[in-house]
Amino acid sequence: MSKLSLAYIFQQQQLLVDENLQLPQVEALASDIQLGTGDQVIARDLLPDEPIPPGLQLVPIRQLLQYWNVRQFEQASRAVQLLEWRRNHRFCSHCGTPTEAHAVEYAMVCLACHYRQYPRVQPCVITVITRGKDEILLAKNARNKTSQMYGLIAGFVEVGETLEEAVRRETEEEVGIKVKNIQYLASQPWPFPSNLMIAFKAEYASGEIKLQEEEISDAQFFKLDALPEIPFKGSIAHSMIMHITQGTPVADDTQAWL
């Protein structure tokens, strides 16, 4: 009998799990991506016309963040990002020839010019900004039309930019203020689609709030004991806010982000 593998089976950003939100075990296929975790764990795409096996369901990976521990989420993040990378690199970006997966490395190899395309991670900074001892800056995303949730200032790191420079630029661009005393806190893989969220804290230095309206619909300094709706538990933004308001650690390898 073939040994079964724990399977991260995705249809885009939805993962196949049972009623207890646990992963299925399946026989591995040659087309699966081996996750190389030390266990027999694979990643696989569920094609749009494939039936969902009895007893299983597709659940958005964002929803699972609230119930899974750090290790489970990190593996799921790795799996969905590798599947996305493989789908997007079926052809060589140099010459257009079809590619094949490397036998050992995570690389899509061109059959003609032998160029190798490796997975790419997009670094993003996310910053919790305080003013004095009892205020925190929270902002509402302009694209969020369905809730009153306020989050933190975040954005992609640009070419040739340090992480600290990205923190200063994103803050000034989105809300018009300057910050000081930038300090690293933690990081979290964020597979939407393939980001690494790098968390910082900073202090208000100067300026008045001026919104970048295409990105931010509102931003305010809130008292720590009078916060609006904030990001869900499991996200690094929630952990950062709790770190400031409750003194809890941002990342703890023994548990989920709290």
Side-chain angles (χ1 to χ4, degrees):
M1 180 180 296
S2 299
K3 185 176 179 181
L4 297 180
S5 297
L6 197 65
Y8 290 89
I9 303 176
F10 283 92
Q11 193 171 88
Q12 297 302 323
Q13 292 286 338
Q14 296 189 95
L15 181 62
L16 207 58
V17 293
D18 65 19
E19 61 182 8
N20 297 315
L21 304 180
Q22 299 302 304
L23 298 172
Q25 292 192 326
V26 302
E27 290 190 15
L29 304 176
S31 58
D32 293 337
I33 294 178
Q34 301 291 330
L35 293 185
T37 60
D39 301 318
Q40 197 163 2
V41 184
I42 59 96
R44 178 187 300 175
D45 279 317
L46 182 71
L47 301 179
D49 58 349
E50 281 190 81
I52 297 174
L56 299 178
Q57 59 182 326
L58 285 170
V59 175
I61 188 174
R62 286 178 184 268
Q63 182 176 329
L64 295 171
L65 271 170
Q66 303 174 65
Y67 305 104
W68 280 10
N69 61 35
V70 171
R71 183 173 180 273
Q72 286 176 301
F73 175 67
E74 286 181 344
Q75 279 196 348
S77 173
R78 181 180 179 85
V80 72
Q81 290 178 75
L82 287 172
L83 290 168
E84 177 82 5
W85 156 75
R86 186 172 68 177
R87 284 195 299 270
N88 292 340
H89 292 84
R90 293 179 297 151
F91 297 91
C92 178
S93 61
H94 281 190
C95 67
T97 302
T99 59
E100 283 188 354
H102 192 278
V104 179
E105 300 178 342
Y106 290 132
M108 299 299 288
V109 183
C110 177
L111 301 177
C113 71
H114 308 295
Y115 178 65
R116 296 186 181 189
Q117 298 175 108
Y118 294 93
R120 298 287 187 265
V121 175
Q122 302 171 100
C124 300
V125 292
I126 181 168
T127 310
V128 58
I129 300 166
T130 58
R131 186 169 68 178
K133 297 184 179 299
D134 63 346
E135 289 186 312
I136 183 173
L137 179 73
L138 298 175
K140 189 174 186 294
N141 192 304
R143 293 182 292 274
N144 181 6
K145 308 294 186 182
T146 60
S147 79
Q148 293 301 311
M149 185 180 74
Y150 281 69
L152 302 176
I153 301 301
F156 290 103
V157 180
E158 294 186 351
V159 173
E161 190 174 51
T162 69
L163 298 176
E164 292 81 3
E165 287 168 346
V167 167
R168 296 186 189 97
R169 176 185 52 77
E170 284 291 341
T171 303
E172 193 161 3
E173 286 179 356
E174 294 194 354
V175 293
I177 66 172
K178 295 184 182 297
V179 294
K180 62 183 181 180
N181 297 335
I182 299 170
Q183 298 179 50
Y184 171 79
L185 289 176
S187 63
Q188 182 184 34
W190 194 244
F192 306 108
S194 188
N195 304 335
L196 177 65
M197 304 301 294
I198 306 165
F200 291 89
K201 64 178 178 179
E203 297 174 9
Y204 168 82
S206 64
E208 298 294 327
I209 292 176
K210 182 179 180 181
L211 304 180
Q212 184 182 28
E213 294 183 355
E214 63 270 25
E215 295 288 337
I216 304 295
S217 60
D218 186 37
Q220 302 176 40
F221 280 99
F222 291 89
K223 295 294 185 181
L224 301 186
D225 59 357
L227 299 183
E229 179 184 351
I230 63 173
F232 55 83
K233 180 180 176 180
S235 66
I236 200 167
H238 182 276
S239 302
M240 294 165 71
I241 295 169
M242 291 298 100
H243 174 68
I244 297 300
T245 60
Q246 307 294 328
T248 55
V250 178
D252 184 342
D253 290 340
T254 65
Q255 56 185 328
W257 286 281
L258 297 175

